[in-house]
Amino acid sequence: MAVYDYDVIVIGSGPAGEGAAMNAAKKGRRVAVIEEQEAVGGNCTHKGTIPSKALRHSVKQIIEFNTNPMFRDIGEPRWFSFPKVLKRAEKVMSSQVMLRTNFYARNRIDVFFGVAEFEDKNTIIVRGTSKGDETLRAKNVVIATGSRPYTPADIDFNHPRIYNSDTVLKLSHTPRTLIIYGAGVIGSEYASIFSGLGVKVDLVDSQSRLLSFLDAEISDSLSYHLRNNAVKIRHNETYESVVADERGVTLTLQSGKKIRADAFLWCNGRSGNTETLKLENIGLEANSRGQLEVDDHYRTACEGIYAAGDVVGWPSLASAALDQGRAAAADMLSAEDFRYINEVPTGIYTIPEISSVGKTEEELTKECVPYEVGQAFFKDTARAQIYGQPVGMLKILFNRDTLEILGIHCFGEHASEIVHIGQAIMAQDGEANTLKYFINTTFNYPTMAEAYRVAAIAGLNRIANLS
């Protein structure tokens, strides 16, 4: 068994692992990455963010073809199967793997494909590499092993009609009806994808409204448009049992209801990937969901061991994970570019998509902040009319007295891109963060970004009679 010495070892090559490895390598450190799967990219590339967003884009194109009158001159509406749409996603995944493999090669980072386990805090055994077991040693280690779907023991996930958000990517047919249990971000996204393919979806939610962390008006808009696309949303429900047979799946709820469908998709919670690390050898213990506790510098309780990404829990976003990994490497190397990641925009890729940053109306009301609202509806903007995408709005929350921007909430086409303009202004210090920026700035016309100016003027009009 060969022994290799490094400055930094990173376990996992998803966004957090990649961020940590690249930042350490750019600072001249010798870095090794350990990846359990057969290619780099982590669950983000192979099972989560990339495949689901590529699926969504393909489904959006199908919806546009089938609903845009202009395309009737080309042909009749088309029906596409889930496996056919998935092939497009697989091409994107392959491109991402190639891109990221080149990143590691260009930065002289050694990648070991195998299962990592701690021998002590400075020594890691990599089991099952192409050359057998390998031993790696380093002063610092970053645990960036990500997460997987939480799967309760009383549901048979080996049954061919029962899936979770990982195994659904192996779905070889298109069900006519589908039950999705769990209406968080992943459940809501897949409800959009499958309903866009013409599948009748039952979306079962344990909460009283969808994505309750969102501004209520945005959450209500999502509910309306999912229902408008034949998704049946069932709130305040908890499962009693899930029983599958050769012809379908029956979900029994604690309220006494029974729902029958061709297939069942579990999207309720995720668990950190820590069970094979032998954390007991370094004095660490994961919580009940497999997650590791870190401080505000991404340090675990074991000296020299850091953790970042989904394995530490909130916010469980690829965007945040990349920055957390970079921050962990910066801290261990005492670099100046360390920052704690606490201001993260949400990006939810439902159809239509959602993005927000800052406070919601509910939070500001509870905190007794004197705020006002400026809104722009996409149906009134030229670019949205040109796109044929009139659904959605931009909502700016601002302090009535100082005009400081307190929150940006966007629902509709390109929401995840639009929000960054507001985020940039909110990040400015003092009086530079003001609603007046959008009024005193000339925007290209026609653009979706122009909605900021429309919303800002509408907001000022609402307080004009109070001055």
Side-chain angles (χ1 to χ4, degrees), residues 155-394:
I155 297 178
D156 180 12
F157 286 93
N158 292 317
H159 194 281
R161 290 185 180 270
I162 296 178
Y163 300 88
N164 59 44
S165 56
D166 282 359
T167 58
V168 73
L169 297 174
K170 303 296 182 184
L171 181 62
S172 59
H173 69 287
T174 308
R176 291 180 180 273
T177 56
L178 174 69
I179 298 167
I180 299 179
Y181 187 86
V185 171
I186 296 172
S188 295
E189 289 179 349
Y190 272 112
S192 290
I193 289 169
F194 279 101
S195 65
L197 289 171
V199 179
K200 289 185 177 179
V201 176
D202 276 274
L203 181 61
V204 182
D205 185 12
S206 62
Q207 305 296 314
S208 58
R209 69 178 175 96
L210 287 183
L211 305 177
S212 56
F213 59 88
L214 291 175
D215 187 272
E217 193 171 7
I218 301 296
S219 174
D220 290 345
S221 297
L222 175 62
S223 295
Y224 170 81
H225 286 284
L226 284 175
R227 290 188 172 104
N228 196 44
N229 288 321
V231 176
K232 174 64 177 174
I233 304 173
R234 301 174 185 269
H235 290 296
N236 299 311
E237 298 281 11
T238 306
Y239 83 96
E240 181 72 34
S241 65
V242 179
V243 179
D245 55 39
E246 293 180 0
R247 293 177 297 156
V249 183
T250 301
L251 169 67
T252 303
L253 299 168
Q254 290 183 4
S255 64
K257 298 184 187 75
K258 288 193 175 184
I259 310 170
R260 179 82 172 169
D262 293 340
F264 177 90
L265 174 58
W266 175 272
C267 294
N268 198 43
R270 296 185 69 82
S271 300
N273 294 322
T274 51
E275 68 284 353
T276 62
L277 291 174
K278 294 198 174 179
L279 294 174
E280 63 275 10
N281 290 344
I282 58 172
L284 290 181
E285 183 178 355
N287 65 18
S288 60
R289 280 296 178 95
Q291 297 166 343
L292 292 172
E293 184 177 340
V294 294
D295 64 12
D296 59 5
H297 282 247
Y298 303 102
R299 297 173 294 207
T300 69
C302 180
E303 183 184 3
I305 308 294
Y306 290 72
D310 281 15
V311 77
V312 304
W314 184 91
S316 296
L317 293 169
S319 56
L322 182 71
D323 287 344
Q324 288 174 340
R326 288 181 56 81
D331 185 82
M332 72 175 60
L333 303 176
S334 301
E336 293 181 358
D337 59 343
F338 173 83
R339 70 181 180 94
Y340 180 65
I341 316 304
N342 59 354
E343 286 292 334
V344 182
T346 60
I348 301 169
Y349 297 89
T350 46
I351 303 174
E353 67 187 60
I354 297 167
S355 195
S356 65
V357 64
K359 300 282 188 178
T360 65
E361 284 203 60
E362 294 71 31
E363 289 170 336
L364 293 173
T365 299
K366 188 175 181 181
E367 295 168 11
C368 298
V369 176
Y371 76 93
E372 193 47 87
V373 183
Q375 288 177 306
F377 294 92
F378 291 171
K379 65 183 176 62
D380 300 324
T381 63
R383 189 60 178 265
Q385 292 169 359
I386 292 167
Y387 277 150
Q389 300 284 347
V391 171
M393 68 169 179
L394 174 68

